Amino acid sequence: MATSQSPMEDAMRGKIADCFAPTSLEIFNDSHLHAHHKAMEGSTSRETHFRVYITSDAFKSKMQPARHRMVYTLLKDELAAEGGIHALQLRTRTTEEEDKAKASGTA
Amino acid sequence: MNTVIPITSEGDFDSQTAALPPSCLAIIYFHAPWAEPCKQMSTILNTLASTYPTTSPPQTTFLSLDAEEVSDVSERYDVTQVPLVVLQKDGQVVEAVTGTDASKVRNAVEKHAGSPSAGAPGKAGLPPAQNVTKPAPSQSLDEPSAPHTNGSGAADLSKYAPSASDPATAPEYSSGEVNGATKEELDSRLKELVKAAPVMLFMKGTPSAPQCGFSRQTVSMLREKGVRYGFFNILADDEVRQGLKEFSDWPTFPQVYVGGELVGGLDILKEEFENDSEFLKDYSVHASKGGPAAPEQQAQPA
């Protein structure tokens, strides 16, 4: 099997899928938008900034900070690693919220 | 917006207080440079002062005294411990607050002076539009006056620890602060810091010079909604930067706290505003009587 060009993203996808059994999972790699920023000086990784949209009922009855914390805890090692994830934008919705958003056109 | 005026002599104190109208609340802060808790109180008062607009006649006046330097005045008020905040109206002491509880001090000031928006003739300031000007250099710790602020909506609390005025890079160690402050000390310091203003923003850079796109967007969003907030530049204090991540179990910045509780980062803030148009309305300048101030009327530091 050929080695993946996106080990970080693969790891994230795997972990999130296992933990949240999401009905929808989208991962966007925005690293190229920040590569020239001062904070990224000296970094060789192309997988530093991510936008992740997760729809899962594992988030039911949890407030947003709690939901985000669930994801942060899951990806603790990746966030803490040298050259790992530098920034993580999250959208965490339940299936109900996702349907509502789609219906009102703000999905 | 108001700043905290340092008083260096008894004569100075007398002339300042004599000039005040009877309706004005004088907030007299006694401190000592060697007392650690005073650093916290200085920050808290600077923030508080900046949320009160400079009105004519003055509604509030913030005076700070080195208790040992101006000992004659300290004796008059029977100052036995610092930090001590004495509230005085028309020459009469109406309340005294000891300790470093930010909310206690704020409640006392609001009780006697009214909340910042009351009485302001619709000219309450907002954090100014972001432009590329260099922020004013920070004052040394010896001068608790003239806080490093950007309009009365945002107050800089990065003087909370001695910090470099240049926010460009994160220093290896917090400059000046005793290295290896114990975990409890750091925790209690952070506990007060997140409550230092009703809405607190921990960001990379400052509102007028954000050092990160997400921080910049957060500032933008808060400004759009006219929210009053205090800010802290985490790039200027590595101890707070790392400490806060652990304290709140939240690995990223910017971080927004309301009433001392973590609300989240930019994405959560966005969702909250989308889901609830009233979110943070209580902390907005638009809550003042007389309707929202027009952008042209932003009060600028004198």
Side-chain angles (χ1 to χ4, degrees), chain A residues 22-59:
Chain A
T23 52
S24 161
L25 171 59
E26 293 175 86
I27 301 182
F28 302 94
N29 185 340
D30 288 338
S31 311
H32 60 286
L33 300 173
H34 302 265
H36 55 287
H37 287 177
K38 194 153 189 162
M40 292 291 106
E41 227 167 76
S43 165
T44 49
S45 168
R46 288 214 186 86
E47 295 196 287
T48 55
H49 293 65
F50 290 97
R51 229 179 333 134
V52 182
Y53 298 168
I54 312 172
T55 306
S56 160
D57 282 334
F59 296 135

Side-chain angles (χ1 to χ4, degrees), chain B residues 172-251:
Chain B
E172 289 292 328
Y173 306 99
S174 355
S175 43
E177 188 69 9
V178 175
N179 265 330
T182 66
K183 184 112 198 324
E184 293 108 36
E185 285 164 6
L186 181 58
D187 267 353
S188 74
R189 188 181 155 205
L190 292 175
K191 215 155 76 156
E192 283 303 308
L193 195 52
V194 302
K195 289 195 280 176
V199 180
M200 269 301 285
L201 170 65
F202 292 82
M203 63 179 289
K204 292 188 173 179
T206 61
S208 56
Q211 300 284 307
C212 138
F214 303 130
S215 290
R216 184 173 8 98
Q217 286 181 58
T218 308
V219 170
S220 212
M221 200 174 294
L222 290 171
R223 180 163 47 88
E224 210 181 286
K225 298 285 173 174
V227 176
R228 279 179 218 280
Y229 61 97
F231 74 88
F232 190 101
N233 178 3
I234 52 123
L235 292 181
D237 188 333
D238 210 52
E239 202 178 42
V240 171
R241 181 182 183 170
Q242 300 311 326
L244 210 51
K245 284 186 187 176
E246 252 190 70
F247 180 80
S248 295
D249 199 15
W250 198 266

Side-chain angles (χ1 to χ4, degrees), chain B residues 18 41 50 57 77 83 103 141 145 157 207 226 246 283:
Chain B
M41 186 49 76
S50 69
Y77 288 89
S103 31
L141 251 195
S145 63
L157 297 165
E246 252 190 70
Y283 306 99

Side-chain angles (χ1 to χ4, degrees), chain B residues 47 61 66 102 188:
Chain B
T47 314
T61 293
D66 180 326
S188 74

